[in-house]
Amino acid sequence: MRIGVDSYSFHRYFGELREGESPVDQRWTTDDFLNSCSELGVDGVSLETCFLDGGADAEVESLRQRLDQHGFERVLAWGHPSGLAMGLDPEAFADALAAVDRAAGLGCRLLRIVVGITRHFGQESETEVLRRVVPQVAEITDRAEQLDLDVAVETHCDLTTASVGSLVEQVASPRLGVVLDSANVVRIGEDLLAAAAALAPHTKMIHVKDLDLRSSTPGEPGGHWPGVPLGLGDLDIAGALELMEAAGFDGLACVEVADMASGWSEHEIVAQSVDWLGKFATERHPCPE
């Protein structure tokens, strides 16, 4: 397991405010994010396409060189917020195909995609959603394979764990897997360890989040889900990571911050979570004397 940070953790600094959030007094560029991650000493970054600057970042080779200078493993994270809109948005599908080429140009080994978002959850038969989405994801995966690239579908409060697993199995390509988001499976009312066990064979990256569940209702994913540093919330993050490692997971475990519990900032949550992951990894795999 290697440690990373997803740029969505600093969404306020990129100009996005979730419900109830206050704006910050500065705006970040991608380089600000990369510099912050370098200071944290992480192995990799996941770059949300919605936050990439239109100027310097539009030049793929320039961004690749900057990532190389930091020595980061990198993932391109496509689809925030609505992804493929459950297979109903042809323009989004075309944009996802274009993201494959961009990811390859950046030197990524993995492209993250999403099928939908919270408001889509439970709105129609998941069998019908998969009927539309499977061919789209198969085409995205085929293009990625041509460029020696993997694709991973995130658990994004859009589909149940069973349907995400079915999607991967129906496409039936070793190039396609899952990004397990530890918070999102709980938000839709599922058990984290059960979801981790079910998806572990397919998981190519993890979004690692901990939650304070005192004011939240599992099964109502659109509510407020206060995030706290890893190890300080109610989720069995260590248990989930142990299940992943037992299944042979060797990808990036990326800290991601969405909602923030009162009294915490994204900087504090990210820094403490990176430290927690480092200690977890050291305890699991101590350096030989």
Side-chain angles (χ1 to χ4, degrees), residues 112-179:
R112 188 283 321 251
I113 65 173
V114 297
V115 171
I117 197 172
T118 308
R119 62 182 171 82
H120 296 125
F121 183 69
Q123 295 303 301
E124 61 176 320
S125 162
E126 292 192 341
T127 300
E128 182 63 19
V129 173
L130 292 183
R131 183 189 65 78
R132 295 192 302 264
V133 168
V134 165
Q136 294 183 352
V137 175
E139 187 170 340
I140 293 167
T141 304
D142 285 345
R143 179 172 291 192
E145 183 173 11
Q146 294 169 12
L147 297 173
D148 195 24
L149 188 69
D150 287 349
V151 178
V153 178
E154 182 180 342
T155 56
H156 206 237
C157 292
D158 44 13
L159 294 170
T160 59
T161 293
S163 288
V164 173
S166 179
L167 169 58
V168 173
E169 290 165 2
Q170 288 184 55
V171 173
S173 168
R175 289 292 187 174
L176 179 65
V178 172
V179 175

Side-chain angles (χ1 to χ4, degrees), residues 2 73-75 103 107-111 148-151 175:
R2 298 174 304 286
E73 181 176 346
R74 71 291 309 249
V75 174
C108 300
R109 291 184 287 182
L110 181 67
L111 171 70
D148 195 24
L149 188 69
D150 287 349
V151 178
R175 289 292 187 174

Side-chain angles (χ1 to χ4, degrees), residues 31 34-38 42 65-72:
D31 287 320
L34 298 180
N35 291 335
S36 175
C37 290
S38 278
V42 297
Q65 289 175 2
R66 284 139 57 203
L67 288 162
D68 289 344
Q69 288 169 1
H70 288 280
F72 285 141

